[in-house]
């Protein structure tokens, strides 16, 4: 199964502006359109509970959303098997479990802790990163601060507006 990490970030790697967790408040229309396409085409999406809480999404029979949490019991009554599930499995267990069920693509969209945990376990095959031509002094980083050294190879990029927003795709080496 192919695992893809999808993010938008500033030139200096911030994925939030200060304490505002809502990316839609600062990302470009080009990124919003790109993310909408990715979301529409994704059949298996993994995110963290903080991302879920800030972007509660209506479940759909066309995709399975798995929310990673240490306390899935906090979400009792919200789950919809096959559409919305809350899991305390590790990233490796999630990938293995869903590969056994026949999934061919997992889209990871949620937060620096989730991104870092998948990268640390060498589970990410590609990173689809929108780079916005902005700099924020404060905000969350794309990756949680810890020892990590991941080499990437640029597959493709496209400039989507005059300001210079780039939609990039990298393969993890």
């Amino acid at each position: 199964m192919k695992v893809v990490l999808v993010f938008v970030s500033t030139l200096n790697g911030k994925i939030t502006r200060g304490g505002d967790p809502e990316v839609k408040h600062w990302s470009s229309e080009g990124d919003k359109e790109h993310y909408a396409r990715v979301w529409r085409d994704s059949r298996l999406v993994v995110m963290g509970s903080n991302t879920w809480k800030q972007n509660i999404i209506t479940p759909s029979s066309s995709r399975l959303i798995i929310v990673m949490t240490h306390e899935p019991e906090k979400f009792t009554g919200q789950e919809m098997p096959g559409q919305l599930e809350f899991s305390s499995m590790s990233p490796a267990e999630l990938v293995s479990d869903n590969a056994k069920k026949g999934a061919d693509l997992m889209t990871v969209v949620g937060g620096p802790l989730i991104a870092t945990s998948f990268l640390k376990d060498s589970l990410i095959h590609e990173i689809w990163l929108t780079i916005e031509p902005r700099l924020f002094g404060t905000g969350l980083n794309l990756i949680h601060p810890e020892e990590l050294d991941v080499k990437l190879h640029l597959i493709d990029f496209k400039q989507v507006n005059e300001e210079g927003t780039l939609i990039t795709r990298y393969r993890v080496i």
Side-chain angles (χ1 to χ4, degrees):
M1 173 171 46
K2 183 177 179 179
V3 182
V4 175
L5 180 63
V6 180
F7 268 94
V8 59
S9 127
T10 64
L11 281 171
N12 62 329
K14 300 296 182 189
I15 61 169
T16 64
R17 181 174 52 192
D20 182 1
E22 189 54 63
V23 171
K24 294 173 190 170
H25 292 162
W26 61 269
S27 66
S28 66
E29 288 304 313
D31 175 64
K32 290 174 186 146
E33 291 168 9
H34 168 68
Y35 190 77
R37 280 190 304 276
V38 169
W39 187 260
R40 184 181 60 243
D41 295 342
S42 296
R43 300 293 164 247
L44 174 59
V45 178
V46 175
M47 65 181 66
S49 59
N50 288 332
T51 301
W52 167 254
K53 290 173 191 172
Q54 290 158 24
N55 299 288
I56 295 181
I57 300 148
T58 304
S60 165
S61 60
S62 66
R63 89 180 42 82
L64 169 59
I65 300 168
I66 300 174
V67 179
M68 293 182 70
T69 175
H70 294 293
E71 301 173 303
E73 64 279 358
K74 285 187 172 183
F75 300 94
T76 301
Q78 295 181 49
E79 60 277 291
M80 297 178 69
Q83 294 181 32
L84 174 62
E85 299 174 2
F86 298 86
S87 176
S88 59
M89 283 189 209
S90 71
E93 291 169 327
L94 278 177
V95 170
S96 175
D97 185 57
N98 284 283
K100 287 176 188 170
K101 293 176 182 175
D104 58 353
L105 177 66
M106 175 183 283
T107 305
V108 179
V109 298
L113 290 174
I114 299 300
T116 303
S117 65
F118 274 82
L119 286 164
K120 278 180 64 175
D121 288 348
S122 301
L123 297 169
I124 299 294
H125 298 96
E126 290 184 11
I127 298 175
W128 299 353
L129 178 65
T130 300
I131 303 169
E132 293 286 4
R134 300 186 68 159
L135 299 170
F136 298 150
T138 60
L140 292 177
N141 293 319
L142 175 66
I143 302 299
H144 189 69
E146 55 182 274
E147 292 296 319
L148 190 63
D149 184 2
V150 178
K151 292 183 181 181
L152 306 173
H153 176 81
L154 181 65
I155 298 169
D156 186 38
F157 71 94
K158 180 170 113 177
Q159 183 174 331
V160 296
N161 58 28
E162 289 182 14
E163 292 78 23
T165 298
L166 300 175
I167 296 177
T168 65
R169 287 187 325 134
Y170 292 89
R171 183 180 78 243
V172 176
I173 298 173

